[in-house]
Amino acid sequence: DAARDERLTRAADVRADGRLSVTVGAGAAAQPAAVSEPALHAIAPRITTAKATTDDAQGSCEAFTVGLARASAERHGVVFETDRPVRALVPTADGGGVAGVRTADGAELRADAVVVCAGAATAPLLATAGGFAPIMPLLGHSLTAARPTARAPASHIVVAPYALYMTRLGDSLRFTCYGVLAPATPEYTAGSVRRFEDQREPLDDRLAKLVEYVVPDVASLCDWEGAVAWRGARPLTPDAQPIVGATNRRALYVNSGHSFNGWRESALSAKVLAAHVAGAPPPADVDVSVWSLRRFQPWPD
């Protein structure tokens, strides 16, 4: 909806073409489910259940974010400073609030309010001003292959019980499955997504073997031999819900911890956060306590 409102659906390759969820049996099913998806031809006889939903959508988060930033800048005069990492928060003289941020080049940028939405780097950044948030990096492993063939899925497929996701992203096909908790170190928190083409690790190879086991003819769907391994550091909280709102430091707010629901909840959490900063009522029918940091770290009002 947000992509549509901002006229970014085409640029961000947003497609509301649903999702197909199937379950593969351990052996030949007595009554296999009927599935017409060409990408599942090799395993069709072993599919025991199949459910298609029409209200799911896919798209490019990166293209949507870039387009949204440009739209905001053009419409509201917002200025974005990129490639200028923030290394610390600047506390107020009394230590009870935050007055701005300090960048990697040593400059201090003063502000009336600071919102930390630094993904997996949120917790270390909050700690520089005595703040805390239980957010850890969850490394989501994926393999992305170019040149999908005519038999490659056109949208999104989930295969149970393996939790294997196959998603068409423009001119590529992405396979994802598990996530692994990682330490909140600079290696994993410096960026939301990092590329490791020359550093394949055992879990990347394990994912490749899983794909080949579940989809034995994967080489006929895409350039499987040239698949690239990616690991994205998703910010995960203990209850997998984001933290949105005020902290126990004046003028310091958080909007992070969305984990695998970042795209799904981004527009709503931004509206909730904006209401917090402006001191305005939250959007109607939204229980803001569900996302409050107080659920983890109570403090006196």
Side-chain angles (χ1 to χ4, degrees):
D1 291 341
R4 190 180 299 113
D5 292 343
E6 300 294 340
R7 300 179 181 178
L8 297 172
T9 52
R10 179 174 296 181
D13 190 28
V14 175
R15 295 161 286 113
D17 47 15
R19 168 189 298 210
L20 174 62
S21 300
V22 301
T23 302
V24 177
Q31 294 181 330
V35 177
S36 59
E37 170 59 59
L40 300 178
H41 174 76
I43 62 172
R46 297 194 292 121
I47 295 176
T48 57
T49 65
K51 180 180 179 181
T53 57
T54 59
D55 56 350
D56 279 21
Q58 296 82 43
S60 169
C61 299
E62 180 183 12
F64 170 75
T65 303
V66 171
L68 188 62
R70 290 173 178 167
S72 298
E74 294 172 357
R75 186 180 310 167
H76 302 295
V78 178
V79 176
F80 294 93
E81 295 193 27
T82 57
D83 295 323
R84 196 174 184 186
V86 172
R87 291 290 183 249
L89 303 175
V90 178
T92 56
D94 63 2
V98 170
V101 300
R102 183 176 297 108
T103 60
D105 57 11
E108 290 190 1
L109 306 179
R110 298 284 169 157
D112 296 327
V114 173
V115 178
V116 178
C117 48
T122 295
L125 191 55
L126 287 174
T128 63
F132 168 79
I135 296 176
M136 291 291 290
L138 177 68
L139 295 185
H141 288 249
S142 67
L143 291 169
T144 302
R147 295 190 291 278
T149 67
R151 287 190 53 238
S155 56
H156 190 55
I157 298 175
V158 183
V159 182
Y162 308 102
L164 179 65
Y165 292 73
M166 295 186 285
T167 305
R168 182 71 171 267
L169 296 173
D171 295 329
S172 63
L173 184 60
R174 178 164 295 175
F175 301 85
T176 61
C177 183
Y178 43 75
V180 182
L181 284 173
T185 61
E187 178 184 2
Y188 298 118
T189 60
S192 59
V193 176
R194 300 189 62 180
R195 196 168 183 170
F196 295 81
E197 295 98 325
D198 300 325
Q199 300 180 40
R200 287 272 294 240
E201 65 169 37
L203 286 176
D204 297 328
D205 292 331
R206 180 177 294 183
L207 176 58
K209 292 177 181 178
L210 175 64
V211 173
E212 292 168 353
Y213 176 76
V214 178
V215 190
D217 61 342
V218 64
S220 68
L221 305 183
C222 56
D223 177 19
W224 180 239
E225 289 297 322
V228 175
W230 289 70
R231 275 158 262 166
R234 300 172 178 176
L236 179 68
T237 62
D239 58 5
Q241 291 291 328
I243 298 173
V244 183
T247 70
N248 61 345
R249 295 292 187 270
R250 293 190 309 274
L252 180 61
Y253 302 85
V254 178
N255 185 11
S256 186
H258 297 70
S259 185
F260 40 77
N261 289 322
W263 172 278
R264 182 179 301 153
E265 296 173 338
S266 60
L268 179 58
S269 65
K271 292 179 180 179
V272 171
L273 188 281
H276 275 287
V277 176
D285 302 325
V286 177
D287 182 6
V288 296
S289 65
V290 175
W291 289 347
S292 172
L293 182 57
R294 284 182 169 84
R295 72 186 191 271
F296 300 119
Q297 185 183 8
W299 62 79
D301 291 330

